[in-house]
């Protein structure tokens, strides 16, 4: 049984302020938890209901396992229908972005992405296409937001997410900067080369004016129908797919 103070601490991790203060975030569901257990992240504790068998996680090391009631699990979960297991994971130190590690590859740059579902989906897309780095503006949703973690389906354990001042970064980096914009070169005719940054903009406003000025090549997904815009996650997937198709030849 969890104490009131333990419940309050775990519940507080649903908020960015307390995640930063406490240095932890929560992961729910055994498949996602297994991804973090088998990564460089440190698992602080695993809370599970009596019906859940921890053997499902295939633990290769001793973990702090805590059996709790279904009621207590419901109190700490961020889901309307909680799963049977929640892990408390240590948030890593925020990494320093090294320009050298971005050379010879493609990285995603997110300018003001606000929707946690979109953010989690983009992390999962990056993982699928082997993109290891996502660089975010400081106003992009927190990667450790419970909804982001849930939507990433464990991919957050393998993708490095950075937060920085994009204007400073893009103005100083010596790499091609491709921007997803409504007016630009047709993505299917674009030569992406073998390295660069791909900038995806805010769901409603696109890439901000200040960042757009730093884009070296505007690229658009041609619109055939009458839809006003594409979901940020779908647009990111199309960019990643096209870059992969062209660079894998």
């Amino acid at each position: 049984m969890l104490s009131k103070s333990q419940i309050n601490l775990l519940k507080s991790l649903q908020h960015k302020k307390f995640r930063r203060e406490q240095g932890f975030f929560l992961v729910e569901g055994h498949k996602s938890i297994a991804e973090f257990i088998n990564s460089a992240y440190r698992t602080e504790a695993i809370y599970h209901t009596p019906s859940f068998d921890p053997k499902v996680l295939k633990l290769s090391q001793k973990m702090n396992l805590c059996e709790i009631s279904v009621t207590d699990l419901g109190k700490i979960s961020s889901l309307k229908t909680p799963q049977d297991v929640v892990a408390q994971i240590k948030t890593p130190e925020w990494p320093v972005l090294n320009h050298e590690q971005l050379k010879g590859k493609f990285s995603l740059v997110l300018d003001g992405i606000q929707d946690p579902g979109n953010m989690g989906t983009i992390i999962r897309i990056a993982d699928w296409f082997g993109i290891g780095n996502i660089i975010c503006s400081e106003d992009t949703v927190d990667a450790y937001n419970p909804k982001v973690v849930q939507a990433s389906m464990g991919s957050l354990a393998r993708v490095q997410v950075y937060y920085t001042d994009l204007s400073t970064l893009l103005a100083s980096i010596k790499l091609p900067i491709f921007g997803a914009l409504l007016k630009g070169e047709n993505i299917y005719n674009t030569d992406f080369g073998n390295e660069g940054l791909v900038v995806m903009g805010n769901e409603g406003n696109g890439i901000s004016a200040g960042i757009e000025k730093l884009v070296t090549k505007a690229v658009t997904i041609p619109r055939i129908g009458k839809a006003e815009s594409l979901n940020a996650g779908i647009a990111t997937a199309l960019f990643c797919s096209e870059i992969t198709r062209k660079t894998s030849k």
Side-chain angles (χ1 to χ4, degrees):
M1 182 176 178
L2 293 176
S3 67
K4 185 176 180 181
S5 61
Q6 285 177 305
I7 290 173
N8 288 338
L9 185 150
L10 294 169
K11 284 178 65 176
S12 75
L13 300 181
Q14 296 182 25
H15 304 283
K16 181 178 179 180
K17 173 185 175 181
F18 296 109
R19 287 195 296 273
R20 291 289 180 89
E21 287 181 1
Q22 301 295 336
F24 295 104
F25 65 100
L26 298 182
V27 180
E28 304 193 44
H30 81 268
K31 289 185 179 180
S32 292
I33 291 172
E35 299 284 6
F36 281 92
I37 288 174
N38 295 308
S39 73
Y41 283 80
R42 192 186 96 202
T43 304
E44 182 72 9
I46 296 173
Y47 304 93
H48 65 92
T49 61
S51 63
F52 180 79
D53 185 355
K55 291 180 181 178
V56 173
L57 297 174
K58 298 180 180 179
L59 302 176
S60 59
Q61 54 187 302
K62 288 186 177 180
M63 292 282 180
N64 180 15
L65 296 172
C66 182
E67 186 176 300
I68 63 175
S69 68
V70 173
T71 300
D72 280 352
L73 186 132
K75 290 177 180 177
I76 66 175
S77 173
S78 63
L79 303 176
K80 290 183 179 179
T81 305
Q83 301 191 42
D84 291 329
V85 59
V86 175
Q88 182 183 353
I89 308 291
K90 178 68 177 175
T91 307
E93 294 293 326
W94 292 104
V96 176
L97 183 62
N98 183 340
H99 289 197
E100 290 299 315
Q101 72 192 63
L102 302 179
K103 293 182 178 179
K105 64 185 69 172
F106 289 91
S107 300
L108 292 175
V109 176
L110 306 183
D111 182 20
I113 294 293
Q114 297 295 302
D115 182 79
N118 279 340
M119 181 66 174
T121 298
I122 289 170
I123 292 171
R124 195 175 178 190
I125 289 166
D127 186 26
W128 179 268
F129 286 100
I131 294 176
N133 298 306
I134 297 179
I135 307 162
C136 304
S137 62
E138 292 167 336
D139 62 343
T140 290
V141 63
D142 180 21
Y144 298 108
N145 176 301
K147 292 181 180 179
V148 175
V149 176
Q150 193 71 23
S152 77
M153 298 291 288
S155 288
L156 180 58
R158 288 181 293 271
V159 177
Q160 183 64 70
V161 182
Y162 301 88
Y163 287 82
T164 190
D165 183 309
L166 291 187
S167 296
T168 301
L169 170 70
L170 299 183
S172 61
I173 201 162
K174 295 180 180 179
L175 285 172
I177 302 171
F178 302 95
L181 295 160
L182 287 177
K183 293 183 179 180
E185 183 176 354
N186 186 320
I187 188 173
Y188 303 116
N189 298 328
T190 300
D191 180 2
F192 288 96
N194 59 7
E195 63 179 358
L197 304 180
V198 180
V199 185
M200 310 303 297
N202 172 272
E203 291 89 346
N205 302 313
I207 298 173
S208 59
I211 299 303
E212 185 176 342
K213 292 177 182 178
L214 299 171
V215 168
T216 56
K217 178 169 281 190
V219 182
T220 190
I221 299 167
R223 179 174 61 181
I224 308 303
K226 298 184 181 297
E228 182 182 355
S229 63
L230 280 176
N231 171 274
I234 292 173
T236 302
L238 288 170
F239 266 81
C240 291
S241 178
E242 186 63 12
I243 289 171
T244 300
R245 185 182 72 82
K246 287 181 176 176
T247 57
S248 61
K249 288 181 178 179

